[in-house]
Structure formats: C-alpha cells, structure tokens
C-alpha cells in the first residue's frame, strides 16, 4: 500500500487515488494536423522506465485534484509531488 | 401553504443505536448543504465570506464554524457549507454578480451520521484508513476519504463527536458497517 | 496453573492451561504426532514456534482451522484437535466467529517484544508519541522468557502507558511500501475453545508507522544427516524449553548435537531437569570457556570434531539410538563409529535470523561468516533492525561452525532431510545440482524446499549452505531465497474481517428502495446499485410480468424508478464550450430549458458513455450519465478541466443522490401528469419533447423533463431525494384510474431495445465508434471534440468493423441467448465453427412485435441487412434475418402521445 503525498491533502493511502500514467503528455493542439502515427503515439505510447518516472495521480476520494509526482519504479520510493502547470522539480538522485 | 417537511423521508429514517458510555450512532437527517467552488484567487471568495459572515479556510481539511454554519474545506477551491440553503445561494449569487462561482444545493445528496462515545475513534478505525490520532486530526478537522469502501466526509467537531457525511445511496451500507463494528464495544 | 482437558485424535488428555499444545502432547508421551506428507514417515514435535515443520494439527473445536502448528496453540479446556499429514481440511460449515480489522497510524512500530524489542522501546519511548509493540507469543521476553530468565522491570514499565499499544499473540505477516505493516492478532483462541459471541476471534492490524524497528529474533535450524527426522529429534532450544519451562519430563537419555555454544547451554538446562545428557557432539574441533567448563563439571561427555551419522528407531519410529563418527567441517567422515542409546537428540544447527519482513521490500540479507547467518545490515531509512535479526547474538566464547550437515550418497541421501515438511532430502538437492541448477531460486522450485506451510524457516539457510558446498561457493555467493508474505499461514477470514455477506461490497439503494422491497420486486445488480428487475403480481413469473409491464407502457401508463442515473451539475461561463469538446454533438447551441441526448468518446474514438444533458441556465447544465458510468464520467470531466483546459471556467459537482427521478411512460402519461400537476400545461405545444418545466407535483417542487427511453410519451419527474418515496406513492395513488403499472429494469431494456436504443456497456465494450452503432447523425462535423481525430484512423474507418444491427429469428419464438456467436448462414454446428462474424448483445421477447428479437454486432452488418445468419445454440442452429436495429415505431410517432 503506497503512501502518496497529495500536494493539497498531504500523505494519504493509495486506495484514495487513481493512477494517470506518464505526466507531461499534452493533448495535441491540432489533432487533425497529425498523421496516424503521431496520433497513435499520443493515444497509446507511454514510457516505462526502470527508475525515476514522472507520473500523474488523482486524489479521487478526497480533494479530486490531479497532480504529478516522481516515483522510482524499482522500489516505489517517491520523490516530490507537484501541481499541474508548475515547474517540474528535478529528477531525484 | 403546505408544510413540505411532512413529506420527507431520510435515508436512515433517523436511526440510532448504542449508548454514550460506549458508542452511540445516530442519523441526524435533513441537514442542508451548499457546495461552493471558487478559485482561491477570485474576488468572489471574499464576497461570499462577507455576505454569509463566514470564512472559507484555505487549507484542505480545515474548517470554520459559527452558530449558523459549518464550513468544511474539501479541496483547494471546494467548500461544503452545512446549514446553508438555496436562500443563501441567492444571497451569494447576488453579491458575486458576474464573477464565476459554482454553487450547488446538495442537501439531499448526503445524510449525516453522528458517531460519539468512548469508543467512537476505535469504531471508525475499523474502516477508516486515515489517521484519527487527535494530535494529527484535532477537533475542527475534516477529511474526505473512504470508510467501509464508501466515500465519506468526516468532520471531527466538538471533542469526542464525529460527524459523518455519507451519500444517501451508501447510507444504509455505512450504517450496517458501523453497527457491526460497534458490536464488540456495545457488549462492554 | 490449572489443568484442562483436551482431545487429540479422539483421545482425551490433560495438560496445563495456556501451555503450548506441543508441550502437552510431549507430556502425554505422544512422540509421534503425525506422518510426513509424501513419504509417510513418523514425525514428532520439532520446534517451539512458527518454525515447526512437523507437528501441524487440525483444530476441530470452535471455528475450526486446518494446519496450525501445535507449538502455537495455547491449551484451553475443551480443545479438540486431530493430527494431519501435511494437508488440512477446510471446515465446510460457515464460520460463526467474528473477524475484524483496524487501521492505525503510529510514530513507531516495534516488531518483536523480546529483549531486543523491549530495549528498543526503552530507548525510543520518549522520542515517539504513539508506539505499537507487537509480538507473536503470549508474553513479552521472547527467548529470555523461554530460558525462564527474568525480564528487568525497567524494560517493562513503558508497556502499560497511554501512548503504547502492546499486542501479544500478534504476528506481522507483511511489510509493504512506505512502512506499512499488516499484522494478525489472535484474540480468543486462548480464552475459549468455543466461539465467543460478539468478540472478534482475530483482528488484522493495518499499521502505517513513521519508523519501524525489527526485533524479530532468530530461529534455530536443523542439521542434515541420515534419518534426522525421527520423533525425539528436536531443536535443542525447543527440547530444553519443553523440559525446563514446561516440565514435560518424558525423556530419559539425551544427546546434544551442536555447531555452536547454544547446544551447551541447552544441555545444561536439560541435565538440570533430570533428563540424563549422555554427550554433546560438537562438529567443532576445539571448544573452551566457562560454558564448556560447566558442562564438564556436570560430567557430560563432549565429543568434538564429530558428527551424528545415522539414527535408529524403536517400533513407533521414535529415535532409539544414534551413531557418531569423526568428521571435518565439509562432512568428510573418518574413523570409527560409536552407537549411543538415547530417546532425545537435541540439535543446534545455529541460528537463522528472522529476516522475512525486510526481504519483502527486496532487501537482501548479508552473509556473515562469523555468525554463520544471513543478517539485516543494510536497511532503508526509517527501518532499523536490532538484536538477533541483525546478527547481534549472545557473545559466545567459541564462534559457531559453518556446518549444515552431511551430504551422503545412495540410500542415505534419501533419508537425509533438508526440508522436513516437504520431505525434501539430499537426493533431491543432488539431482537439482546434477541437472545444472546453481541458483537457489531454481533449486527451491526443483526440490520444493521451503515452499510448504512453514516456508522453510528451519531449512532455508541449511539449503543455501549445502548448495554452496555442492557447487563450491560460499553461502554469501549463493544468496538468500525470496520470501513472500504472509509470514505465517493466515485464515482468509482474518484477512476478510467484517467484509462478508452484505458488507462485502457497498450496496447502493435509491430513496424508493424500501417501497420496491415492499412490492416484492426481485432486485437486479447494476454496478453497486440494487434496481427493481420486475414487479410480479402474485404467482406471476418473470416472463408474464415483463409482458404485462411492457403492455402497460405501450398502451396505458407505467412508472419506473430512474434515480440511479448519474447526475452531474456543470456550472460556469465556459460550460457550453466544455460540453462541445466532451460530447460528439453540439451543446453550446442548446436552449435554456431544453435537453439533448449526447454521446462521449475516449481519445481513441470509442464510445465511452451517453446520456441526456439539460441546460438549466445560460451557464449551467445538468448532465446525466449511465448508472454504472457516473463516477467514471465525473473523473473524466475533471481530468480534462484540470490537466488540459484550466483556462475554462467550469466546475462539476455530483448530484446523483440529490435527485429522485420517477419516469411515467405511456399514452396515458399526459393525463396522469396533468392530474399530478394541475398548474402545468402538459399539452404537446406548451411542453414539447426534450423540454423541461418546473412545477409542483403533488405539492412538491419538481423539474419535469420530457425525455423518453422507451419511445413512448414520457415525463421524468425530478424531486429532492427525500421526497422520492412520497412522489412514487402519489404517482401510484393518482395513477390508479389510468391503470398505472410499476416496471423494472427488464421492461426498460425490452422497450429501449425495440426502439434500437443502445446501452453503453451492453451494446458496447469500449471498441465501438458512434458509426459502428449506426449513430453517425450524432457526430458533429463542425467542431473538434475528444476522439474526433481517431475516426480518421485507418482502423476506425475501415468498412469491415462490427456494426449494430437487429436480428429476427426465423422461428419467431426462438430466443437467442445474449453473448451467442453470430455465424455465416450455415446448416450445421460443424459448418458454422470458425465462421463467426459477430455476437448477440441484447435479446428479448417483444410483446409489441409479438415475437423475439435481438440486437447484435456483426461484421459489416449494415451491408448484410436482409441476409440470413446462423446462431449456434447448444447443439442446434437458430436462423435469423439481419434487419435494421430500430424495430418499433421507426417514425417516432408515439413519443408525443
């Protein structure tokens, strides 16, 4: 059971959250100008690194806010959480 | 004018159980609530506070209480005002004018269960995963979370009394859970 | 100490209240407790705690429980147990006992209340506001307690304070990310052999701790030699404790076989109880020091540099003598063999730290040659190890030998046991190595060592050591096995807690639920909701009830509870623009007071949810969603608002339960509506289709919407939920003269399917575009919306996709089972195999059509209209014609009455 730090509510149990996969993948500004491959890349393709990963979570059961967080996929260690549209903290060591 | 109150029925029909010396559960039906959404930076926030003579606290989980209202901060731009009605909604709309505020009457959306008695915290801890230690969840705190796999807002009001706001469709389930969790304490 | 009566395998015995069942068995001279699982060899008590590999029993009294170590059962009056050979029986009757769980957040959790745990408590007490200290034994003190040594008062004084929760008989079974520990407390089995009413038998503790101190101690391990499994062969600490602490007094002649000084300490304890210790056999060449002197003073013979090479048994299978020979640390036997008569062989193979909890976090224990053990030395921050688990053993004069046993060949290999519970032996280990396996993980799986109930607590390190020897490596190079939670066997009932029966999942009900129950309506599960399925009259079956309900809706008037639909209040100046992006069709153009049906898709262009949305005010909409989709849709809306379009001034608020919705449906609905709401002009001109009006209904303020999910004239009455049951009753009392009939979800399904209305989740499974559902009309060409780009992808624009069509069975009473394959038009089952071109999504008997019909997704279905297909059902073929999905009132003539 992960303990996830919501930027608004503080550390809370994983059961209150939903996962949102990789962070910083924006909806394309002009989807109609993308070719099929680029559009498929946006919809289906995500990184799956070993180590630190910037990902999205939403605090569904509480403040219902989306945020980003660094997580180490090897040992589930968490780095800093940060609000959407704020500067991304540097990758933890 | 017909008094409409006679036609109302609450989800738990005012159920109560237990004793104050151990654990006491009671539905307190028909609380009125408005859910307010407004950005912290919006000038409308101050106008709402002024017109209702309340505070909309900034920190999620903190509350404000006066004789008319209990304000629960559910999100960074989300408050539930217990005690407010559609008449208050009109007052707010009048004072905020064209400034953007979302106001929703959610009075019948939830019902309210009061949990009190010596073992109130122990009973809740059988299903509530968040910290209820008084040093981390002191009187006047609120939290929205999951109790018995049910979305619940807990407001820890006057010492020893928890106010549970539960969506009406889940109320009977939560009541069943609470009464089951209380069994051992009631036998004490 | 009081005497209690218990039953073992049908025979009544006596024992001391609170002592381990294993002690009572020994005192009653039950040396052979069971047969081994695979080789059926007699086995007896071997250990003292959860390490016990042999003496597992089935508890019959009380709740009953299979496979419990006799070492961990505290004797109570009336206890009934039976022996079992490796496999227990799950009790068949429901367990009447209660179980629960509790969630705790503490500053400090100490796992283990032995000396190390108690010292940690003393040190940490002032620094932490809330502390849990848990321990799997009935009392604190751990190993010291078993040695009958007194625990200093200064280590106990903090236990009974307000900020310490002390849990005995509680075992930490798992350690998870961010210091989350799950522990199981056994609360009543030591109080009564029967179920105690209103009292949880077990409690699962979910503990989140800022800091964890592991003081889990260590287990003694076995030594491998031929016939090392006979009853009467025991771990030396267990043997000494049974004799010294529990005074079981069964043995006459004891021999100790040891690799460390523990054997000497235990030999002295055993000798003191009156059991004659004939010799200590020590694999080490040279030993000295005060313990050795004491042993010598007692006249106990010490045989150094030697090893037990075999044992004999009496008729029962218990040990009767052993053979001892000179041996080096590699197990090379050399010299003459002597036989020693004995009925107890106490072995000390060294100590294995209980490192399990830390290894669940993928932490690797490190081999220490000096202590001959794998220890926790490197731990993450906020987790500490103290005492034996860290390798801090009692300072002994002579270091333990790194010796795990003999590795014989031939017949002897088959009876030299490494894992007693699995009957896995040296032959198995040799075979594994012979097959080329060198990884301990592979060897574990090949030999099954460590995979039984005890998870190899006494055999794990031994296996590593022997494997290392066989492949010429050091134990540290072989590395440890991967342990997985739970640390001990735990009944599912303990993990389930009170999440059983009606509490196993939330049951959601509408404000009309009790009225539906009173009407004896069977309920259908729709997600977590209970919805009335149909409303049978007395002695009426479902088929007849549904026909009657459908007929009422098509000919007179019928009412249903539509309150479960998800409802979301959407407010803000940008609400219209927002909905244009969410829905495939336009909403910004919707008039205030009007409603529109909308379809939303994922970015992949697949249908995601649908529903009717109403414009309440210029900047306010009320969206309805499917019953099952409400939470998912709210999540979806907020995700786009927060993460993609923060510039839009829009907020969404769930109001699903705020409103009760009663739909009145049928040609006579207008007359009933007029009666219910005398001030409302219900004429089609004044109140047209897809519009809303506010009026009092039976005195209650209501929003009335002309929305139809049946094709009939219909009004949906929305009131605050606490008025729901009043309105429902009014609808029925005032509707009596019109023949008002209640209908449930089944009739709703029939009525909507006749009209070809899809249900998201029934006609769709996340792979259908609006075009696949023959709903091209709802896809706007003028604007962008979520999913639009995907309609131009090659996959979504190909023509041979599954498309929604109707099916009319040739024999008009044949009902196609939902989910059936649709195949090409073939005559036999054999011919139809592998020719499936689709499947049936909905299938009903229609009273209005006087026949059966179905909806179906068929490859290129629209081009096949008029063609025939085969549907294999059981061993026959049902033929059906493909038709348009709208089968009833194609011209929509009925919706205005």
């Amino acid at each position: 059971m992960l303990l996830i730090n919501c930027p608004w509510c503080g550390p809370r149990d994983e059961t209150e959250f939903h996962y949102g996969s990789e962070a910083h993948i924006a909806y394309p500004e002009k989807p109609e100008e993308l070719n099929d491959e680029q559009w498929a890349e946006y919809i289906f393709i995500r990184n799956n690194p070993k180590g630190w990963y910037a990902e999205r979570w939403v605090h569904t059961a509480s403040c219902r806010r989306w945020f980003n967080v660094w997580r180490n996929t090897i040992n589930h260690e968490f780095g800093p959480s940060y609000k959407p549209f704020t500067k991304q903290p540097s990758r933890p060591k | 004018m017909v008094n409409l109150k006679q036609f109302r029925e609450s989800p738990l029909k005012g159920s109560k159980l237990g004793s104050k010396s151990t654990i006491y559960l009671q539905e307190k039906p028909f609380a009125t609530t408005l859910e307010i959404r407004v950005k912290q930076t919006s000038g409308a926030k101050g106008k709402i506070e002024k017109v209702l003579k309340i505070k909309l606290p900034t920190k999620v989980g903190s509350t404000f209480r006066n004789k008319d209202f209990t304000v629960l901060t559910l999100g960074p731009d989300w408050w539930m005002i217990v005690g407010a009605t559609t008449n208050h909604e009109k007052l707010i709309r009048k004072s905020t004018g064209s400034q953007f505020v979302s106001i929703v009457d959610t009075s019948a959306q939830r019902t309210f269960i009061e949990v009190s008695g010596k073992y109130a915290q122990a009973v809740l801890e059988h299903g509530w995963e968040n910290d209820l230690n008084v040093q981390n969840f002191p009187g006047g705190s609120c939290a929205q979370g999951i109790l018995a796999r049910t979305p619940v807002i807990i407001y820890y009001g006057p010492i020893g009394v928890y106010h549970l706001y539960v969506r009406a469709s889940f109320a009977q389930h939560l009541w069943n859970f609470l009464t089951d969790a209380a069994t051992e304490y009631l036998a004490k | 100490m009081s005497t209690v009566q218990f039953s073992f395998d049908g025979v009544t015995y006596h024992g001391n209240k609170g002592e381990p069942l294993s002690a009572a068995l020994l005192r009653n001279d039950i040396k052979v407790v069971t047969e081994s699982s695979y080789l059926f060899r007699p086995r007896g008590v071997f250990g003292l705690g959860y390490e016990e590999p042999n003496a597992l029993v089935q508890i019959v009294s009380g709740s009953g429980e299979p496979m419990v170590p006799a070492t961990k059962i505290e004797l109570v009056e009336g206890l009934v147990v039976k022996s079992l050979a490796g496999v227990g029986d799950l009790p068949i009757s429901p367990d009447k006992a209660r179980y629960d769980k509790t969630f705790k957040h503490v500053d400090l959790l100490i796992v283990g209340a032995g000396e190390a745990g108690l010292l940690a408590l003393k040190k940490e007490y002032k620094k932490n506001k809330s502390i849990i200290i848990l321990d799997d034994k009935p009392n604190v003190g751990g190993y010291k307690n078993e040695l009958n040594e007194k625990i200093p008062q200064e280590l106990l004084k903090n236990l009974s304070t307000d900020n310490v929760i002390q849990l005995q008989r509680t075992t930490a079974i798992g350690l998870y990310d961010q210091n989350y520990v799950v522990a199981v407390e056994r609360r009543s089995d030591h109080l009564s052999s029967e179920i105690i009413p209103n009292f949880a038998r077990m409690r699962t503790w979910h503990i989140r701790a800022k800091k964890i101190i592991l003081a889990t101690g260590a287990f003694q391990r076995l030594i491998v030699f031929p016939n090392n499994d006979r009853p009467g062969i025991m771990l030396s600490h267990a043997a000494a404790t049974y004799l010294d602490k529990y005074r079981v007094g069964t043995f006459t002649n004891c021999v100790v076989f040891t690799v460390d000084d523990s054997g000497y300490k235990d030999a002295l304890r055993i000798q003191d109880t009156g059991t004659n210790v004939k010799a200590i056999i020590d694999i080490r060449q040279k030993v000295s020091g005060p313990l050795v002197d004491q042993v010598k003073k007692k006249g106990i013979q010490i045989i150094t540099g030697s090893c037990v090479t075999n044992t004999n048994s009496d008729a029962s299978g218990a040990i009767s003598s052993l053979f001892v020979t000179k041996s080096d640390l590699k197990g090379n036997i050399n010299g003459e063999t002597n036989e020693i008569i004995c009925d107890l062989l106490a072995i000390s193979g060294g100590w294995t730290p209980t490192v399990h909890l830390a290894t669940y976090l993928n932490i690797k224990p490190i081999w220490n040659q000096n202590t001959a053990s794998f220890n926790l030395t490197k731990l993450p921050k906020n987790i500490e190890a103290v005492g034996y688990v860290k390798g801090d053993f009692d300072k002994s004069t002579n270091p333990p030998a790194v010796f795990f046993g003999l590795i014989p060949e031939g017949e002897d290999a088959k009876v030299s046991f490494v894992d007693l519970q699995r009957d896995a032996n040296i032959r198995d280990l040799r075979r594994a190595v012979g097959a080329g396996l060198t990884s301990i993980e592979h060897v574990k799986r090949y030999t099954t060592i460590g995979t039984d109930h005890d998870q190899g607590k006494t055999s794990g390190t031994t296996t590593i050591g022997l494997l290392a020897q066989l492949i010429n490596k050091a134990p540290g190079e072989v590395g440890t096995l991967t342990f997985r939670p739970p640390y001990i066997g735990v009944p599912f009932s303990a993990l389930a807690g009170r999440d059983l029966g009606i509490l196993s999942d939330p049951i959601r009900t509408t404000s009309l639920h009790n009225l539906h129950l009173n009407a004896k309506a069977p309920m259908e599960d729709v997600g977590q909701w209970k919805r009335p399925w149909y409303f049978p009259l007395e002695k009426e079956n479902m088929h007849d009830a549904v026909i009657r309900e459908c007929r009422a809706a098509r000919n007179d008037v019928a009412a249903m509870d539509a309150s479960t639909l998800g409802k979301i209040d959407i407010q803000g100046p940008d609400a219209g623009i927002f909905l244009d992006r969410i829905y495939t069709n336009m909403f910004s153009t919707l008039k205030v007071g009007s409603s529109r049906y909308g379809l939303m898709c994922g970015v992949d262009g697949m249908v995601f949810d649908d529903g009717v949305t109403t414009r309440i005010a210029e900047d306010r909409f009320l969206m309805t969603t499917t019953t099952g989709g409400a939470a998912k849709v709210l999540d979806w809306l907020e995700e786009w608002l927060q993460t993609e379009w923060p510039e839009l001034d829009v907020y969404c608020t769930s109001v699903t339960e705020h409103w009760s919705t009663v739909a009145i449906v049928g040609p006579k609905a207008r007359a009933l509506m007029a009666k219910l709401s005398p001030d409302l002009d219900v004429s089609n001109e004044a109140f047209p289709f897809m519009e809303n009006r506010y009026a009092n209904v039976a005195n209650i303020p209501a929003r009335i919407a002309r929305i139809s999910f049946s094709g009939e004239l219909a009004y949906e009455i929305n009131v605050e939920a606490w008025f729901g049951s009043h309105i429902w009753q009014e609808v029925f009392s005032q509707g009596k003269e019109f023949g008002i009939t209640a209908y449930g979800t089944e009739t709703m399904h029939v009525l909507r399917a006749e009209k070809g209305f899809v249900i998201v989740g029934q006609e769709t499974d996340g792979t259908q575009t609006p075009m696949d559902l023959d709903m091209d009309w709802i896809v706007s060409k003028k604007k962008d919306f979520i999913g639009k780009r995907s309609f131009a992808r090659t996959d979504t624009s190909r023509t041979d996709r599954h498309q929604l069509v109707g099916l009319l069975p040739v024999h008009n009473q044949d009902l196609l089972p939902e989910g059936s394959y649709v195949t090409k038009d073939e005559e036999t089952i054999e011919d139809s195999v592998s020719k499936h071109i689709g499947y049936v999504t909905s299938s009903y008997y229609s009273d209005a059509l006087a026949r059966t019909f179905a909806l179906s997704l068929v490859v290129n279905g629209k081009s096949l209209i008029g063609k025939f297909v085969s549907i294999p059902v059981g061993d026959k073929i049902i033929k059906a014609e493909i038709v348009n999905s709208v089968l009833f009132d194609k011209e929509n003539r009925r919706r205005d009455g």
Side-chain angles (χ1 to χ4, degrees), chain C residues 65-86:
Chain C
E65 194 177 329
M67 297 191 75
V68 186
T71 51
K72 294 303 289 184
I73 298 171
E74 289 173 54
L75 217 56
V76 281
E77 181 65 36
L79 176 73
V80 180
V81 297
K82 61 179 190 187
S83 62
L84 52 87

Side-chain angles (χ1 to χ4, degrees), chain B residues 135-180:
Chain B
Q135 62 262 36
N136 301 320
F137 194 70
S141 302
C142 75
Q144 191 165 201
I146 296 166
L147 175 54
R149 271 171 274 153
T150 297
V152 169
I153 301 163
I154 293 187
Y155 165 57
Y156 187 44
I159 297 306
V161 179
Y162 295 90
H163 306 236
L164 274 47
Y165 296 89
V166 58
R167 292 172 67 152
S169 65
F170 289 98
Q172 188 62 50
H173 169 77
L174 183 66
W175 183 261
N176 292 344
F177 176 88
L178 290 171
T179 52
D180 192 77

